[in-house]
């Protein structure tokens, strides 16, 4: 992950095993920001790759996503077996995706994100955001959080829906 981005992570929802990670990026110097065509290409790649990875994530086909994780992201999830157990528990608890609410790519502090907001069959009133941060083709952040879940975060008041706004 870009060293200009500070990760503030905490575990929430112990019973569900959710990991909340909000990214706080200090302003980057103007000369370090990618040009519009570079940023657009990175966001298009993130959109394509994010969709492909989630297409496999939902039916618990996790090998490609696991291989894309950086060592740091793997360490956050434990082992592939732990990650698989987490996903299987999610399928049992929430069911399949019911409705995609939003989808977006964005660049903040030199990092490119793919964000999908969706509801699920067994909890149709809760909107969940799946956030993937790409460093090249590697996944340097993989987070699932409930919309509005901010706790004592320094950016309290921002929710995943904020990420879906242009």
């Amino acid at each position: 992950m870009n060293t200009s981005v500070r990760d503030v992570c905490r575990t929430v929802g112990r019973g569900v095993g959710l990991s909340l990670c909000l990214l706080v990026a200090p302003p980057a110097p103007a000369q370090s920001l990618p040009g519009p065509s570079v940023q657009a290409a990175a966001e298009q790649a993130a959109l394509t790759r994010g969709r492909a990875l989630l297409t496999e994530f939902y039916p618990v086909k996790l090998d490609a996503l696991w291989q894309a994780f950086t060592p740091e992201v793997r360490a956050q999830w434990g082992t592939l077996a732990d990650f698989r157990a987490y996903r299987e528990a999610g399928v049992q608890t929430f069911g399949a995706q019911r409705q995609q609410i939003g989808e977006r790519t964005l660049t903040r502090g030199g990092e490119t994100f793919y964000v999908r907001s969706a509801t699920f069959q067994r909890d149709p009133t809760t909107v969940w955001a799946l956030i993937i941060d790409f460093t090249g083709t590697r996944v340097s952040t993989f987070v699932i959080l409930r919309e509005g879940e901010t706790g004592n975060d320094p950016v309290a008041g921002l929710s995943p829906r904020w990420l879906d706004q242009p």
Side-chain angles (χ1 to χ4, degrees):
M1 180 177 268
N2 186 318
T3 56
S4 70
V5 177
R6 294 186 188 124
D7 254 336
V8 181
C9 295
R10 65 180 172 84
T11 301
V12 297
R14 278 212 180 269
V16 182
L18 298 175
S19 175
L20 169 64
C21 179
L22 295 167
L23 301 170
V24 180
Q31 67 271 20
S32 71
L33 294 175
S37 62
V38 172
Q39 182 174 329
E43 288 187 12
Q44 182 59 50
L47 179 69
T48 301
R49 184 94 165 114
R51 284 176 175 169
L53 291 172
L54 288 184
T55 296
E56 292 185 354
F57 174 74
Y58 284 140
V60 196
K61 297 177 184 175
L62 305 176
D63 293 331
L65 180 57
W66 186 259
Q67 291 304 314
F69 283 171
T70 62
E72 294 82 10
V73 175
R74 286 184 187 175
Q76 290 173 356
W77 289 100
T79 65
L80 176 56
D82 294 334
F83 187 54
R84 187 174 313 283
Y86 167 83
R87 180 63 196 125
E88 289 170 349
V91 171
Q92 289 296 317
T93 303
F94 300 104
Q97 177 179 291
R98 179 174 180 243
Q99 180 182 10
Q100 183 172 314
I101 304 298
E103 178 180 55
R104 166 115 201 227
T105 58
L106 64 144
T107 302
R108 294 276 194 268
E111 299 290 318
T112 304
F113 299 87
Y114 170 78
V115 180
R116 178 182 292 183
S117 297
T119 60
F120 293 83
Q121 287 176 332
R122 293 192 184 104
D123 187 11
T125 61
T126 301
V127 177
W128 295 91
L130 291 87
I131 304 169
I132 303 173
D133 177 11
F134 291 99
T135 301
T137 60
R138 301 300 304 267
V139 172
S140 50
T141 301
F142 184 82
V143 179
I144 303 169
L145 59 104
R146 183 182 347 241
E147 180 170 310
E149 188 104 52
T150 58
N152 295 322
D153 188 79
V155 290
L158 297 180
S159 72
R161 191 172 297 275
W162 161 79
L163 295 171
D164 285 332
Q165 302 303 313

